[in-house]
Amino acid sequence: MQPKFTMRQIYGDNAVYTPRTPYSDNPWMLDDCHQLDALTAREVLFADIPVLVHEATQTKKAQRLFEHAGLPWHEQAYQYRSQEQYLAHLKNWADSEKDIVCQYLHAPDQLATTHYWMDAEAFNRINSKVYLDQLLDTKYVPKRYVVPLSQVQATAQYITLPVVLKPGDESPTSGGYGVMICHTKQAITDALRKFQQSDTSTVIVEELLHTAKNYSCQFVYAPSIGIQFLGASLQITTDDGIYKGNIIVEDVPKKVIDVGRAIMQQGVEEGFIGIAGFDLIVTTTGDVQAIDLNFRQNGSTALLMFWENLNGTAAKYCSYVAKDNKHFYKIITDLVQEGGLLPLSYYDGDDFDDPTPSRFACMWYDTDLSRIEHREQRLL
């Protein structure tokens, strides 16, 4: 199980990594501290650099799952349980002049901009939803308007319902949160109430595409290796656009890869170094349209890193939440021992005093997707 690239190859020997969403009030991020903490260990398997993880991902139960799968267990030296411990590690890293790799910028009082692995302002800018059509030819961007909050309803009349509303500032979003798909005028009104409760002063009003396929197209860049295509997967989303996982695909259309590469090239010219994934839609008419740019690790990054090692023609990334922790762990253990299921992280709910559901992120692989989905029912 060798990844295509390690984070050490990409970010350098002095790099350290914190995947945790910053402790801050952001209405466009998942508001579930346990889920955010659970995902901190998701990239450890291909990191080869220190990763700041929650303690509940480092328990004996988690270690046993990796042993059952025949995977190396990389216990992390930097662990936290509270916000204070998390920020203390960031401070120690900064004092040690480490190159700190983040998924999202932290507030300046949590981490000064001089301690990131790349220019912090450039990183924030290229991840902004409002910046998308400045990184790409407009023919690859859905019809969209960036307007003051007060003009949203009037502007929406120029686009046939349904429409998509997104925050128009540089506030980070993740997993589809902050993206509001409005099928009616009442839904637009409801969305506006959410925007009015935030600090967003502008809104992106965008046409809703007729989607045939929704790809996460990923690339890697470091000065030592240049731009490398990592792979692409089909994204699983709810009707509301909330991200739920990925399915691997091999026959990615060349025009999807070409559009993704053009975005990556522009990001590199802006100063980006790292892993990036772009949400690229193939419409029912065959056009390629970019709806979101994620210049950071993505949910399916690990799946693409290890795809060539997996002995199968179908693969899927997904995460699950327990209803009963003991039963949940038993089912996972059985499935891992049977083969075709590899753990990425296990967040042990029994590591807390209060009742807390366990969480599990993983990679499935088999000869076809139906066999994966049949076995997956035991977890669902």
Side-chain angles (χ1 to χ4, degrees), residues 129-150:
K129 293 186 183 304
V130 75
Y131 202 65
L132 185 151
D133 51 8
Q134 298 181 48
L135 286 173
L136 190 61
D137 190 314
T138 54
K139 69 180 179 181
Y140 298 118
V141 180
K143 183 187 298 182
R144 65 199 321 248
Y145 305 90
V146 182
V147 299
L149 186 58
S150 60

Side-chain angles (χ1 to χ4, degrees), residues 97-325:
E97 298 185 346
K98 294 293 185 181
D99 298 324
I100 302 177
V101 180
C102 298
Q103 288 286 76
Y104 307 95
L105 290 191
H106 289 55
D109 61 335
Q110 296 180 354
L111 184 62
T113 56
T114 53
H115 296 297
Y116 292 95
W117 80 106
M118 63 168 285
D119 181 85
E121 290 185 5
F123 177 70
N124 204 44
R125 182 173 63 252
I126 60 179
N127 275 298
S128 169
K129 293 186 183 304
V130 75
Y131 202 65
L132 185 151
D133 51 8
Q134 298 181 48
L135 286 173
L136 190 61
D137 190 314
T138 54
K139 69 180 179 181
Y140 298 118
V141 180
K143 183 187 298 182
R144 65 199 321 248
Y145 305 90
V146 182
V147 299
L149 186 58
S150 60
Q151 296 180 17
V152 170
Q153 284 188 317
T155 304
Q157 296 177 8
Y158 293 101
I159 300 179
T160 303
L161 286 171
V163 299
V164 181
L165 303 183
K166 305 175 182 179
D169 57 13
E170 292 190 349
S171 300
T173 63
S174 177
Y177 296 91
V179 176
M180 304 177 198
I181 301 174
C182 302
H183 292 270
T184 64
K185 292 182 178 179
Q186 181 59 47
I188 294 176
T189 301
D190 295 340
L192 285 176
R193 292 196 186 99
K194 295 181 181 179
F195 286 120
Q196 289 163 353
Q197 295 169 4
S198 71
D199 295 330
T200 302
S201 59
T202 58
V203 176
I204 300 168
V205 183
E206 187 176 281
E207 69 172 321
L208 181 65
L209 301 171
H210 295 285
T211 301
K213 291 188 177 180
N214 179 354
Y215 290 95
S216 172
C217 189
Q218 298 189 37
F219 293 83
V220 170
Y221 172 76
S224 61
I225 61 176
I227 294 177
Q228 301 289 334
F229 175 57
L230 186 57
S233 60
L234 290 175
Q235 302 203 91
I236 307 168
T237 60
T238 67
D239 291 340
D240 295 328
I242 303 302
Y243 170 73
K244 290 297 183 181
N246 298 77
I247 298 169
I248 204 76
V249 286
E250 292 185 281
D251 55 342
V252 184
K254 182 178 182 298
K255 57 185 176 181
V256 170
I257 300 173
D258 289 344
V259 172
R261 189 178 297 277
I263 299 172
M264 189 67 172
Q265 180 63 52
Q266 193 62 40
V268 169
E269 291 177 9
E270 298 268 343
F272 178 70
I273 297 172
I275 303 167
F278 313 124
D279 296 353
L280 302 180
I281 297 294
V282 176
T283 68
T284 52
T285 58
D287 295 324
V288 177
Q289 301 277 278
I291 60 170
D292 200 11
L293 310 181
N294 300 297
F295 284 94
R296 51 179 170 261
Q297 280 69 241
N298 291 247
S300 61
T301 298
L303 184 62
L304 294 175
M305 284 290 189
F306 291 106
W307 163 240
E308 292 178 355
N309 293 261
L310 301 180
N311 184 23
T313 57
K316 181 178 184 178
Y317 162 78
C318 213
S319 61
Y320 308 89
V321 181
K323 294 181 179 178
D324 176 279
N325 287 350

Side-chain angles (χ1 to χ4, degrees), residues 72-91:
W73 171 253
H74 302 291
E75 185 169 357
Q76 295 303 298
Y78 299 99
Q79 303 177 24
Y80 72 94
R81 182 167 287 269
S82 65
Q83 177 178 348
E84 291 73 22
Q85 291 174 345
Y86 176 84
L87 296 177
H89 282 304
L90 290 189
K91 183 178 185 304

Side-chain angles (χ1 to χ4, degrees), residues 6-17 47-50 96-101 117 224:
T6 65
M7 295 177 76
R8 181 179 295 275
Q9 287 176 283
I10 300 165
Y11 298 108
D13 295 337
N14 192 48
V16 289
Y17 174 49
D48 196 31
I49 59 173
S96 301
E97 298 185 346
K98 294 293 185 181
D99 298 324
I100 302 177
V101 180
W117 80 106
S224 61

